[in-house]
Amino acid sequence: FNLRLKDDKTPLYIFITKEEFPRVLLLRKTQLPDYPGRFRVFGPYTSSYQTRIVLRLVRRIFPFCNATTGQKQHHIACFYSHINRCPGACTGRISPKEYARNIIVLKQFLMGRRKSLAKSLKGEMQTAAKELNFERARAIRDQLMMLEHVVQSQVSVTWLDGVRAADADHLQSRMNLWKTLAPFIEQK
């Protein structure tokens, strides 16, 4: 019996490795000694479900690659590359400099620096537009829009007697998303 009401789980951490093309890993504290190399750590996070949701959402905004070094050396495309959630570090479609930019903005998001991140992205978008690189400016604009959509800081809910079940479910899912993302967002 579990008389002390303890479980064997340890908190989760988000690790960003220090490689030419850094990987973003989700590991428990007990797995740290098994992982060779240097890394940047974010956490601890108690809920693995919520942490995985956050990483899934962040991957849509700031794509990153988790392919192993062997896959990258042999230019084997990872799963996320096939569904456009990986910028192509595994196949050589992206330069280390561009990939490093994605990782830097990902770190800013995980540190909760939403305002400074939005400001720097707007500056990059304007610079790309001035250089007549409209495809890059559009991609940065899309990142900004997704970032603002994901981290809307206020959810106002008015409950009426005539609210349909579908509307209530939608509002509840938005509130749950906000609770999940709250640790990653700057407080005013």
Side-chain angles (χ1 to χ4, degrees), residues 3-18:
L3 297 177
R4 294 183 184 169
L5 299 175
K6 290 185 176 181
D7 64 4
D8 60 345
K9 295 180 182 173
T10 59
L12 283 171
Y13 292 87
I14 297 174
F15 290 91
I16 299 179
T17 62
K18 296 200 179 196

Side-chain angles (χ1 to χ4, degrees), residues 13 59 63 101 106 124 136 155 166 182 186:
Y13 292 87
R59 177 171 254 167
R101 179 209 161 265
L106 173 66
E124 284 184 38
R136 188 171 180 323
V155 177
E186 285 179 324

Side-chain angles (χ1 to χ4, degrees), residues 12-91:
L12 283 171
Y13 292 87
I14 297 174
F15 290 91
I16 299 179
T17 62
K18 296 200 179 196
E19 303 169 338
E20 183 181 18
F21 293 103
R23 295 183 292 158
V24 179
L25 304 173
L26 190 62
L27 300 174
R28 297 202 179 268
K29 188 174 183 177
T30 56
Q31 295 170 319
L32 175 61
D34 296 337
Y35 186 75
R38 302 175 318 163
F39 43 81
R40 175 76 164 98
V41 180
F42 297 94
Y45 304 107
T46 55
S47 172
S48 66
Y49 175 73
Q50 290 179 346
T51 308
R52 290 175 203 281
I53 287 175
V54 168
L55 279 181
R56 193 176 309 138
L57 290 171
V58 168
R59 177 171 254 167
R60 289 182 180 192
I61 302 170
F62 310 114
F64 55 87
C65 184
N66 277 349
T68 62
T69 307
Q71 285 176 308
K72 291 175 187 172
Q73 287 175 350
H74 298 295
H75 300 291
I76 299 171
C78 66
F79 169 74
Y80 290 104
S81 180
H82 295 291
I83 60 172
N84 295 325
R85 298 287 186 258
C86 168
C90 46
T91 58

